[in-house]
Amino acid sequence: MSVTSRYQQAWEGFWQEAPHEQGAVFWDAEPALTVARHLALFEPHLSDPGLPLVDLGCGNGTQTRFLADRFPRVLGADLSEAALELARAADPEGRAEYRRLDAVEKTGTQALHAELGDANVYLRGVLHQCEADDRQALADGVATVVGERGRALLVEPSEAAGALLRSIAAGPGGPPPKLAPVLRHGIAPGEVADAEVPEFLTAAGLTVLAHGTLPLTTTEYAPDGTRIELPSTWYVTGRAA
Ligand SMILES: C[S@@+](CC[C@H](N)C(=O)[O-])C[C@H]1O[C@@H](n2cnc3c(N)ncnc32)[C@H](O)[C@@H]1O
């Protein structure tokens, strides 16, 4: 199984039109406000910080580059070639490696595991907008990449984030400028029910080792001038008991 071509085209189209400068994409917040916070939650659970780290669904690589300065080998993987082009252009020194991967496709994640061995995984904002039929396969893909010793940190906007975004988009001024292209390309945020996420992980053979909530910082501002923060839930998971 791999993602539908509609979904793949939605992402390719989004990233082809996305501006290059950091902060121009809705979720492209500064790493200090995003991945740095997640790492503080992730690091105590890593059984081996020396394992390769895969940023699954890395987008334009803003968070990947931060990870690359902190782990020995970091690989950003994404469904979209256009996203990977942005990620490579923003990383001329090649601090991380980037490659195309459909995380829903079993043969792709199995080949990655065969190449890297067990890996740690960072996954931010990928499950909540993928198609309903793909969510279990995505969790299975995470389980394949982590193997026995790797750990994964997933952070996903909660279902309340979907409701919040829909109400912002329906406001008198319509969706704010950075949210508009996301919706125009048919990417629907906050679609996964909160209770389902740990169920997908468990069904993939993973154990939830820790979880909690955090505000997910965006780069967009509400009409009252405050920065839009989405309620989000994070999970640290792995095969360990
Ligand atoms: C909301 S963006 C988040 C990007 C990045 N994780 C970040 O935090 O900046 C979701 C990303 O997941 C990618 N993606 C969606 N489905 C995927 C799949 N099945 N396999 C790999 N990447 C996927 C999209 O192309 C997009 O770049």
Side-chain angles (χ1 to χ4, degrees):
M1 182 165 125
S2 61
V3 298
T4 63
S5 60
R6 186 210 64 80
Y7 177 79
Q8 153 99 49
Q9 280 160 15
W11 275 114
E12 207 57 54
F14 174 84
W15 284 118
Q16 275 166 8
E17 286 178 19
H20 286 219
E21 60 281 6
Q22 204 211 306
V25 165
F26 185 65
W27 51 80
D28 193 22
E30 306 88 302
L33 300 177
T34 53
V35 65
R37 289 178 179 167
H38 304 143
L39 261 192
L41 301 164
F42 197 18
E43 275 169 340
H45 297 281
L46 292 175
S47 69
D48 185 352
L51 295 179
L53 187 139
V54 179
D55 184 359
L56 211 49
C58 66
N60 59 0
T62 299
Q63 315 304 327
T64 325
R65 294 189 295 283
F66 181 93
L67 291 165
D69 290 340
R70 282 153 188 86
F71 290 89
R73 181 176 181 191
V74 171
L75 189 132
D78 203 280
L79 183 62
S80 160
E81 277 298 347
L84 294 166
E85 273 171 36
L86 291 173
R88 290 190 190 103
D91 184 10
E93 296 157 13
R95 284 138 70 192
E97 301 157 56
Y98 304 93
R99 73 173 67 167
R100 191 184 171 280
L101 178 79
D102 175 356
V104 163
E105 199 186 20
K106 208 171 175 177
T107 49
T109 51
Q110 283 175 337
L112 187 65
H113 183 259
E115 177 188 334
L116 299 180
D118 294 352
N120 294 316
V121 170
Y122 179 66
L123 183 133
R124 173 180 182 248
V126 185
L127 188 69
H128 74 108
Q129 42 66 27
C130 80
E131 305 211 292
D133 287 349
D134 291 339
R135 291 178 192 141
Q136 186 58 56
L138 182 62
D140 293 347
V142 171
T144 300
V145 178
V146 298
E148 294 300 322
R149 291 189 307 133
R151 301 284 183 269
L153 183 136
L154 286 76
V155 55
E156 293 293 330
S158 319
E159 54 187 280
L164 176 67
L165 289 170
R166 284 189 287 277
S167 78
I168 293 171
K178 293 179 197 170
L179 181 58
V182 180
L183 303 175
R184 193 173 65 245
H185 284 282
I187 297 159
E191 289 287 305
V192 69
D194 295 340
E196 279 184 325
V197 180
E199 289 172 9
F200 291 133
L201 297 174
T202 307
L206 296 167
T207 303
V208 174
L209 304 169
H211 65 101
T213 56
L214 267 183
L216 190 142
T217 310
T218 74
T219 58
E220 188 59 278
Y221 291 80
D224 67 2
T226 56
R227 189 143 157 173
I228 298 176
E229 288 190 335
L230 304 177
S232 79
T233 310
W234 58 269
Y235 299 86
V236 175
T237 187
R239 248 180 250 280

